[in-house]
Amino acid sequence: MKRLNVDRARTLRRAQTDAEQALWYRLRGRHLLGWKFRRQHEIGSYIVDFVCADAALIVELDGGQHADQVAYDERRSFELQTMGYRVLRFWNNDVLTNLESVLEVIVEALATPAPHPNPLPGGEREPR
């Protein structure tokens, strides 16, 4: 299964959509405030569009096909969140027509620390 995901990720990197290419151009090489992003990266059994591991932030771009798979996308986002990641979703059209606004949302998320994936129940504290 691992090898299939690696091959699939490689194929997805070679066949990027126009929106993925536009966003990747701005994220690659630590262009966005020095944050390192990876594209078409395997996390668990999923391949995510973009991830900044240091900030535990995933950026997903959705095309028209995602309108028909809302339940799947919600379940996928939930599972990635239980692994400690925050998931941002943007429509391809938003990236292509308003890239600066998309980047502003990503920068804001990078500036906000990720919540702990397993917070203690209300009122409890970490042992000292």
Side-chain angles (χ1 to χ4, degrees), residues 16 19-29 31 50 99:
Q16 284 184 303
E20 288 171 338
Q21 286 178 352
L23 185 57
W24 180 238
Y25 181 76
R26 297 294 296 271
L27 297 178
R28 69 189 181 111
H31 287 159
F50 304 98
L99 181 57

Side-chain angles (χ1 to χ4, degrees), residues 42-100:
E42 184 179 354
I43 297 176
S45 61
Y46 298 110
I47 298 173
V48 301
D49 291 335
F50 304 98
V51 62
C52 176
D54 291 338
L57 179 67
I58 292 170
V59 178
E60 290 284 292
L61 302 186
D62 296 339
Q65 78 279 9
H66 288 268
D68 298 330
Q69 62 183 45
V70 173
Y72 170 79
D73 287 342
E74 287 175 353
R75 184 178 67 249
R76 174 186 160 117
S77 290
F78 176 77
E79 289 180 19
L80 290 166
Q81 288 167 352
T82 61
M83 291 182 221
Y85 291 91
R86 293 173 291 160
V87 179
L88 297 179
R89 289 189 167 278
F90 300 98
W91 290 104
N92 285 347
N93 190 53
D94 290 334
V95 172
L96 293 172
T97 61
N98 203 356
L99 181 57
E100 294 307 317

